[in-house]
Amino acid sequence: MSLTCQQLLDKYPQKWKAAISHPFLDNCSAGTIKPEQFNTWLVQDYLFVIEFTRFLAQGLASAPVEHFDVLLGGLHAIKDELQWFQTKAKERQLSLDVPKQAACQAYGEYMAGLANAPYPVQAVALWAIEIAYNQAWQLPGKMAAPYLEFAERWGNSQFSEYVQLLGKQADAALENATPQVQQQAEDAFLKIAELEKDFWQMAYKTE
Ligand code: HMH
């Protein structure tokens, strides 16, 4: 039996919970997040998504053709997402031309390094990154404006379906993977859990 995405979630419940739940999200839900904290997250997440777009493109380049359809859908959606971030930043009069904070920098470097990893590792990493936001933004319950729009971007049912398809593709890739590659995929899952946790915390730091 090969490793599956569901098994990773089941095996590390605490580490995963730390990736997807944070005072940042609870404060958004309660409406008590400080605007400068939210804005820090917003700008840094835009910088993350730029690196994530490159990561998606690398994944496509490594993928078997039967996985193209889902991945091209993801790349298409990210075109809209980049523009949406630019619009949100403008509304809030935020400059996007700022340095990456350490947690954002580390996440970007980690994704860039996965370009050389076997495809099953990249597929698990992509699924983990997307399901992290899909779950994180839904966990606190229905959010009020202005945060509802953010929660719905990653919590909506279409995005949830996309995440499911990414999980299926990652599972399929793992079926043909050696034990060493499966271990690498597990390590990637754990690393992403940590990077996600640190990313939320970043909103509380001003650099
Ligand atoms: C930090 N993780 C982070 N930002 C995102 N936008 C996503 C995951 C989902 O793409």
Side-chain angles (χ1 to χ4, degrees), residues 45 48-49 52 81 107 129-130 133 154 196 199:
D45 210 51
F48 166 89
V49 171
F52 178 70
E81 186 157 305
Y107 212 150
I129 293 169
E130 295 291 45
Y133 261 38
W154 292 285
E196 287 290 330
F199 206 92

